[in-house]
Amino acid sequence: MTTTYPAYIEQNKDRFIAELFDLLRIPSISADSKYAPDVRRTAEWVAQSLRLAGADNVEVMPTGGHPMVYGEKITDLSKPTVLVYGHYDVQPPDPIDLWHSPPFEPVLKDGKIYARGACDDKGQMFMHIKALEMLMHSGEPLPVNLKFMIEGEEEVGSENLGRFLEENRAKLRADVILVSDTGILSNEHPSICVGLRGLAYMFVDVTGPNRDLHSGMYGGAVANPINVLCDMISSLHDEKRRVTVPGFYDRVVELTNAERAAMGQAPFSEAEFLQELDMAAPMGEEGYTTLERKSIRPTLDVNGIWGGYTGEGAKTVIASEAHAKISMRLVPDQDPEEIAQLFQKHFESLAPASVKVKVTAHHGGWPAVTPTDSVAYQAAAKAFEQAWGKTPIPMREGGSIPIVALFEKVLGLKTVLLGFGLDSDAIHSPNEHYGVFNFLKGIETIAAFHKNFGAMPQA
Ligand code: BES
Ligand code: ZN
């Protein structure tokens, strides 16, 4: 691991960080409509920073939801074109009380930038704008043509994106998609993400009596929707911690023994994984390792569950309703819509006659696997060798970026997932952060990617 950066980064790093801080100060929470004006303001900020870096034809384009930022630098049509995708929206910062400093007041501490979006994905997306700026100042022609497409709805399922791609096919024409919204194994063992899980997100509502009841007068004689919901949820896994929804595994592509053996070689330490989370033991599907469980296996998790009295003190009550948000992470070739239907049918069938159950599919996205034998992957691997002095390991990850499969389906384009986050960066959690080293090395690696890709004979 080399900790020196190219001269342009060394000379400008304090300004790069100060600019990123300005971006991190805008609370672009896409899930909460209260923040729509801030989301809009963030789009304008990103557009302006693209212009300042040297991009042309920059626009904030309307979609059915939050706007898309587009910009380009087309300098030589004989060179390949890289379409950079990223997102400027962030997850809600809750629970706010657990943050050591306010989520939208970035601070630099021990070489890390703390703020919501520091890593996911403002910090990672901004590396691409700074890489453009650096290449523009290199005194050499740009090695590739660049297009930027930065969206504001990734954290809420990119629901307007399919249409945006369909409507802007010509504008988005490119040779490859480049995304920094994933991670590496560690700074000592950099990796390139070559697979993402898909997602099917469900809301479930269980209704019992038509009003909240005194738990002494009625308890024991009527269905308690919270008890029933818990029973239903606990039956969704069997004793091997496999998901019990019929048909759930039908389309799952099992890895070969050779692929699993290769995965087993990755320098992943389960002990360190547990230690970082302060947990005594792992848990998951029988017959698979922790690394496999969190990347190549499909899962089902409750993301939120509520009902009844949760205020201070005790209240003796049987609530009328109970609710949960349940997500399933999917792997090739599971189809998010089909899985949502299978879940709905099964969950409804679990309901005893004493309650009413409503199941609603929320958003979803397809899993994706990206190639390692492409020119673009070779360009990325070489960029890591140049900037980090190490050959990166290909690794599948457990998160989802629904656009990766959409890019392939709508535009026929493959993606390179050139992310630099660490599991310990606490994305989606309180105290999210991003290492300054990763931020600056990321800029260097991205610029190296463009140079390598522009210089390699295209397949
Ligand atoms: N950056 C993440 C995805 C990610 C995280 C990929 C870790 C690989 C490793 C992204 O912003 C994200 O959180 N996506 C959502 C997508 C969902 C809302 C459809 C996710 O995975 O929950
Ligand atoms: Zn993200």
Side-chain angles (χ1 to χ4, degrees):
M1 182 165 84
T2 61
T3 42
T4 54
Y5 309 104
Y8 189 82
I9 296 179
E10 278 297 343
Q11 284 151 16
N12 294 280
K13 61 185 182 192
D14 293 343
R15 176 174 56 83
F16 288 178
I17 293 168
E19 289 173 3
L20 175 59
F21 272 33
D22 285 343
L23 173 60
L24 292 169
R25 280 191 193 100
I26 321 178
S28 51
I29 307 166
S30 51
D32 188 340
S33 54
K34 265 204 316 288
Y35 291 89
D38 293 300
V39 174
R40 167 95 215 166
R41 201 150 56 85
T42 313
E44 299 289 353
W45 192 101
V46 170
Q48 186 58 16
S49 106
L50 273 169
R51 283 184 202 106
L52 292 173
D56 301 321
N57 303 320
V58 177
E59 44 181 328
V60 175
M61 299 173 72
T63 69
H66 297 303
M68 178 75 71
V69 183
Y70 178 82
E72 59 186 25
K73 193 76 203 175
I74 313 287
T75 49
D76 182 347
L77 289 175
S78 71
K79 291 178 176 162
T81 299
V82 177
L83 172 59
V84 171
Y85 162 85
H87 63 97
Y88 64 82
D89 66 319
V90 299
Q91 288 274 326
D94 310 66
I96 303 256
D97 292 351
L98 298 183
W99 284 79
H100 302 317
S101 55
F104 297 104
E105 292 173 28
V107 292
L108 186 62
K109 209 175 106 193
D110 303 329
K112 297 177 186 109
I113 298 163
Y114 285 82
R116 171 56 86 231
C119 172
D120 184 11
D121 182 40
K122 286 174 169 172
Q124 296 220 59
M125 176 274 287
F126 194 56
M127 298 181 311
H128 287 270
I129 302 183
K130 294 297 104 179
L132 167 66
E133 181 193 306
M134 176 158 101
L135 291 170
M136 295 294 294
H137 283 81
S138 68
E140 287 165 28
L142 271 197
V144 290
N145 298 301
L146 278 166
K147 296 181 177 179
F148 294 85
M149 173 184 158
I150 316 293
E151 78 152 313
E153 297 190 302
E154 198 274 345
E155 298 293 5
V156 286
S158 304
E159 279 175 301
N160 293 290
L161 215 57
R163 199 161 138 212
F164 185 86
L165 296 188
E166 302 272 5
E167 287 174 356
N168 293 282
R169 277 169 192 276
K171 197 187 190 82
L172 301 174
R173 210 164 45 220
D175 294 284
V176 72
I177 314 277
L178 187 63
V179 180
S180 298
D181 194 20
T182 53
I184 53 176
L185 195 50
S186 66
N187 284 349
E188 291 67 41
H189 300 288
S191 52
I192 296 181
C193 178
V194 291
L196 293 162
R197 289 195 281 198
L199 188 75
Y201 203 109
M202 316 296 295
F203 292 176
V204 302
D205 305 290
V206 177
T207 308
N210 61 2
R211 60 183 161 89
D212 285 12
L213 302 173
H214 188 292
S215 66
M217 291 166 69
Y218 291 91
V222 296
N224 177 329
I226 302 177
N227 292 6
V228 171
L229 177 59
C230 291
D231 289 346
M232 291 169 79
I233 286 173
S234 70
S235 80
L236 293 174
H237 287 97
D238 67 13
E239 67 290 349
K240 295 184 168 158
R241 294 225 62 82
R242 281 172 68 87
V243 176
T244 56
V245 175
F248 186 75
Y249 292 95
D250 284 2
R251 293 188 200 276
V252 170
V253 179
E254 297 285 337
L255 264 63
T256 62
N257 287 339
E259 285 169 323
R260 291 184 69 186
M263 237 184 122
Q265 294 298 307
F268 168 81
S269 157
E270 185 176 279
E272 280 171 29
F273 171 84
L274 291 173
Q275 191 186 14
E276 203 239 322
L277 301 176
D278 195 14
M279 293 181 97
M283 184 167 119
E285 187 183 356
E286 198 176 289
Y288 293 92
T289 65
T290 294
L291 196 54
E292 288 170 338
R293 289 169 178 169
K294 72 189 213 68
S295 61
I296 59 152
R297 296 302 296 166
T299 60
L300 182 151
D301 277 292
V302 179
N303 296 251
I305 181 163
W306 68 103
Y309 181 72
T310 57
E312 193 179 334
K315 180 184 180 198
T316 44
V317 63
I318 292 176
S320 165
E321 293 175 12
H323 312 270
K325 297 186 195 242
I326 297 176
S327 70
M328 290 161 281
R329 293 282 169 179
L330 313 178
V331 300
D333 290 326
Q334 287 177 299
D335 168 345
E337 264 178 44
E338 183 183 47
I339 292 292
Q341 282 164 11
L342 291 174
F343 176 90
Q344 172 157 16
K345 194 164 154 237
H346 179 63
F347 204 75
E348 285 170 356
S349 80
L350 293 176
S354 49
V355 297
K356 297 185 200 77
V357 168
K358 189 170 145 216
V359 179
T360 319
H362 200 248
H363 58 285
W366 283 83
V369 171
T370 60
T372 52
D373 59 359
S374 64
V375 175
Y377 183 89
Q378 301 311 323
K382 191 171 161 195
F384 266 109
E385 284 157 11
Q386 293 158 331
W388 300 62
K390 300 226 167 108
T391 301
I393 318 156
M395 291 254 307
R396 277 168 63 171
E397 288 191 77
S400 309
I401 310 178
I403 185 137
V404 176
L406 273 178
F407 273 133
E408 183 154 4
K409 183 162 155 265
V410 182
L411 304 178
L413 284 179
K414 302 275 187 204
T415 297
V416 172
L417 295 160
L418 196 60
F420 303 94
L422 299 172
D423 280 2
S424 55
D425 287 344
I427 66 172
H428 295 210
S429 310
N431 305 308
E432 174 178 354
H433 54 272
Y434 192 36
V436 170
F437 170 78
N438 298 61
F439 175 61
L440 300 176
K441 265 291 159 204
I443 299 170
E444 178 182 350
T445 314
I446 290 165
F449 169 86
H450 293 320
K451 284 190 196 158
N452 297 339
F453 190 59
M456 283 171 156
Q458 303 293 306

